Amino acid sequence: MLDRRIDGVLTDWKEHYASLFGQHPLRLQHKLADTGLFTDDALESILENVDRQDYHVNYMDPETGVRREGEFGNASGKEILQAVKAGNIWINLRAPGHQNPAFDDMLRSIYDDFEKHVPGLKTYKQNMTILISSPNVRVKYHVDVPGQSLWQVRGRKKVFVYPAEPPFLSANGIEKVVINEAHETDIQFKDWFDDYATVYDLEPGEMLHWPLNCPHRVDNYDCMNVSVTTEHWTDALRNKYAVNFANGMLRKMGLKNLDRGTRGLQFYTKLVLAGAVKFSGIQRKDVKPYNVDFAVDPNAPDGVKNITAYQFKK
C-alpha cells in the first residue's frame, strides 16, 4: 500500500511544548494545506459522494437560536459548497478517509508527529473530521469527549476556550454527553463565561490543542472556513471517560456525590461497570436522536429549505 504520510506536519514545535500538551491550550503552526486535499474541487468530490452516516449539516435558526439538523438531499457537491459560501450553514464530514484514503494518511502523520515530540504519548482510536462553514457562522458552546485539536486550513475564525470545570462544565453535564443522553451542544452556557475564556484568532496554517473536555465555541469571520478536527484516546483519557460513563449511569439510579478519581478499588469497579454496560448494548436505547428538518439548497435563503422532519441516529 502506498504510504502518503506527511513528513513533519507541525512546523514550529518547541521542546517545552511537550510538558504543556494536554495540560494547557497550545497554538501551533502546520502545513495541512500543502496536501491539496482542501481545494474546492477536492471538497466538492467528497460532498458529492459522502454516505449519510458520515456527515452532519447544521443551521442556526435566527428566530429561535436553535441549532437545526439537515441533509444534503439531491444537491450536488458543487451546489452544496455554493450554499456554504453564500448561506448560513456548517458541515461536519465525520469520516473523510472513506471517500479519500489520503485523509487517513494525513491522520497518521499528525499523530506520528505528536508522539515523536511528546515523550511517552501513545494514542489510539484517532479520528478526523472536516468542518466546512459559511461566513459569519457561530458554532455554539459545546464539549467534545475525546482528546481534541482544531486545525485551520482556509478562512479565519475566533475560538473561545473555557476551563473544563464548574461552572463552565458540570459533572452531570459531561456525564450526560458521555452516556449519550445529551448532545455535545446541550451543556449550559451563560454570557459571562466569556470573561473567563482564552480567546484565539485562528489563521490558516494554525492549530489549537486544549486539555480534555474544555468547552469551546467558535465565531467565523466574514469568509468561508475549512478546518480539520482530530481526536484521540490514551489510557489516561480512557480512564476519565470510564469514570464519567459509570458515574452517569449511577447518577441515573439516584446516587449523588460520586467520586471522580481514576485510581483505587472504586475506580476499577467503575471501569468494570462501564465496560459491562457498553458491551451489553443496553445504553444504545438512550442515544438521543437528531431531528432532521431541512435540506441544503443554494437557491434558498441561508442555503436551507424546510422538509418533512424525520429522526436520525448516527
Side-chain angles (χ1 to χ4, degrees):
M1 180 178 177
L2 181 63
D3 190 337
R4 293 162 292 198
R5 279 179 280 190
I6 311 165
D7 183 30
V9 175
L10 301 169
T11 60
D12 66 338
W13 185 270
K14 297 180 181 179
E15 186 176 355
H16 69 271
Y17 291 162
S19 61
L20 296 172
F21 185 85
Q23 307 300 317
H24 190 278
L26 278 175
R27 173 161 53 183
L28 305 172
Q29 302 288 324
H30 68 83
K31 58 180 184 182
L32 296 189
D34 294 350
T35 62
L37 294 172
F38 301 97
T39 64
D40 279 6
D41 287 345
L43 295 176
E44 288 169 6
S45 177
I46 296 176
L47 294 168
E48 185 92 36
N49 299 293
V50 65
D51 185 83
R52 182 63 188 92
Q53 293 290 328
D54 288 341
Y55 76 85
H56 290 287
V57 55
N58 297 119
Y59 168 66
M60 187 72 74
D61 192 307
E63 295 183 1
T64 65
V66 173
R67 186 177 83 160
R68 296 170 57 187
E69 182 79 16
E71 62 171 33
F72 290 160
N74 297 320
S76 67
K78 186 177 290 293
E79 288 172 331
I80 296 167
L81 200 61
Q82 180 185 344
V84 174
K85 290 179 177 180
N88 184 29
I89 58 178
W90 66 99
I91 294 167
N92 183 332
L93 298 172
R94 300 177 56 236
H98 290 176
Q99 279 70 53
N100 186 343
F103 287 105
D104 291 334
D105 296 320
M106 176 185 293
L107 183 62
R108 288 194 296 270
S109 296
I110 287 170
Y111 282 100
D112 283 350
D113 231 15
F114 279 139
E115 293 182 2
K116 177 181 71 176
H117 289 305
V118 182
L121 179 66
K122 300 294 180 185
T123 66
Y124 47 88
K125 287 189 175 180
Q126 302 98 340
N127 190 41
M128 169 185 288
T129 63
I130 299 174
L131 305 175
I132 311 171
S133 51
S134 297
N136 303 307
V137 152
R138 306 184 73 180
V139 177
K140 69 184 293 188
Y141 190 75
H142 66 284
V143 63
D144 296 300
V145 175
Q148 195 86 6
S149 299
L150 174 64
W151 308 71
Q152 189 70 1
V153 182
R154 295 171 58 181
R156 299 174 61 242
K157 60 183 47 168
K158 186 182 291 289
V159 183
F160 300 74
V161 181
Y162 307 79
E165 59 189 31
F168 310 101
L169 179 66
S170 68
N172 191 35
I174 185 61
E175 289 163 11
K176 284 188 174 183
V177 174
V178 166
I179 66 175
N180 287 322
E181 277 196 347
H183 294 151
E184 67 276 8
T185 55
D186 291 337
I187 59 172
Q188 185 182 56
F189 173 74
K190 296 183 180 297
D191 289 341
W192 60 263
F193 285 6
D194 283 353
D195 294 338
Y196 302 90
T198 304
V199 184
Y200 301 90
D201 282 323
L202 207 59
E203 303 283 344
E206 294 183 336
M207 63 83 68
L208 284 177
H209 174 70
W210 49 80
L212 182 68
N213 301 149
C214 280
H216 47 282
R217 67 179 187 86
V218 178
D219 291 347
N220 280 2
Y221 285 101
D222 192 20
C223 50
M224 186 184 81
N225 273 240
V226 180
S227 309
V228 169
T229 63
T230 55
E231 61 183 37
H232 66 274
W233 293 96
T234 65
D235 287 346
L237 301 188
R238 180 205 60 186
N239 290 344
K240 291 180 180 179
Y241 171 89
V243 168
N244 282 323
F245 190 98
N247 282 357
M249 302 305 293
L250 292 170
R251 203 179 297 274
K252 287 178 64 176
M253 301 175 192
L255 277 70
K256 299 179 180 179
N257 301 319
L258 297 166
D259 183 82
R260 298 178 62 79
T262 55
R263 293 183 179 181
L265 179 60
Q266 191 175 71
F267 162 67
Y268 288 106
T269 301
K270 290 179 180 179
L271 197 63
V272 172
L273 171 62
V277 174
K278 288 285 284 186
F279 285 110
S280 72
I282 295 172
Q283 181 255 351
R284 278 294 300 172
K285 66 181 176 57
D286 292 328
V287 173
K288 184 177 179 181
Y290 293 89
N291 190 58
V292 178
D293 62 6
F294 75 85
V296 173
D297 183 348
N299 299 312
D302 286 339
V304 304
K305 64 179 179 182
N306 294 332
I307 62 172
T308 302
Y310 66 92
Q311 291 192 329
F312 168 72
K313 287 186 179 183
K314 66 177 180 178

